Amino acid sequence: MARLVAVCGGVADEVTANRIVVLVQAHAATTALIEGRNPPVPTTGRLAPSGEVLEVDLTGRPFGEGRHACPGRTHALALAVGEFHRMHYGDQPLVLPNAWDFASASALVEAGFPAIGTTSLGVAAAHGLIDAAGTTMIETLDLVRKLVRLPVPITVDIEAGFGADPRELAAELWEIGVAGVNVEDTAGDTATHERIVGALKDGAPGLFVYARIDT
């Protein structure tokens, strides 16, 4: 509760209480919206005059539409999209500089960049390893655990996936607090790349995936 109060204004008053209620009530629906389920709430309950609770099927009714349209549709969609996603739709292209350690990332934040990426070449070179060989997963995870403390979204170069299970890797990165990943098609065929990209999205639906085409 203390954490909720802190992120909702820091004052334990009625306004903060209302914000917490909205967060709690909308949590499951927002998660479904991020995952792309439409409508995010498939059913709802209504009380009949007889006292019987009726389940209303909302399947086929797009979110926010209909006779009782959601008044917060615009806000809900913006919340589901997330800050990092919105950066890609501004008036200017998103410039995403690459860091290889905490010091370089801190310098880039101080220079005013709104988001930071990592470079697999930089991480490999900093540890005396070969780039694009799938050998720097531990070093990359160690680095991003530090970088997510910075006040900007972090996206991570994961080479071609390090040979790990893409779903498990995506879930771990999302749990750490990473906003996105950059995955290369160095396997050389579109079917493999498609499978990896799809698995990354399955493992963490909210993760922004840059599907790189190095060919």
Side-chain angles (χ1 to χ4, degrees), residues 23-165:
L23 280 175
V24 172
Q25 290 181 340
H27 177 266
T30 302
T31 300
L33 198 60
I34 291 171
E35 293 175 353
R37 284 182 263 162
N38 192 6
V41 179
T43 61
T44 186
R46 289 293 182 268
L47 190 64
S50 64
E52 179 186 5
V53 176
L54 302 176
E55 187 175 271
V56 181
D57 184 7
L58 299 178
T59 305
R61 296 176 175 85
F63 169 62
E65 297 181 7
R67 210 170 80 184
H68 301 290
C70 173
R73 182 176 187 273
T74 301
H75 299 294
L77 291 173
L79 181 65
V81 167
E83 176 190 6
F84 186 63
H85 288 64
R86 286 194 295 274
M87 289 181 180
H88 295 75
Y89 297 95
D91 295 333
Q92 299 295 323
L94 172 63
V95 177
L96 193 63
N98 287 175
W100 57 93
D101 59 12
F102 190 84
S104 57
S106 298
L108 292 168
V109 172
E110 188 174 350
F113 290 98
I116 305 297
T118 69
T119 158
S120 64
L121 174 60
V123 173
H127 290 85
L129 299 172
I130 300 173
D131 183 37
T135 59
T136 58
M137 186 170 77
I138 293 175
E139 289 77 10
T140 299
L141 292 175
D142 286 344
L143 173 60
V144 298
R145 287 189 180 95
K146 300 180 180 74
L147 297 189
V148 294
R149 304 203 307 262
L150 295 168
V152 298
I154 301 298
T155 181
V156 182
D157 185 343
I158 59 170
E159 299 185 0
F162 300 124
D165 183 310

Side-chain angles (χ1 to χ4, degrees), residues 20 109 189:
I20 292 173
V109 172
D189 67 275

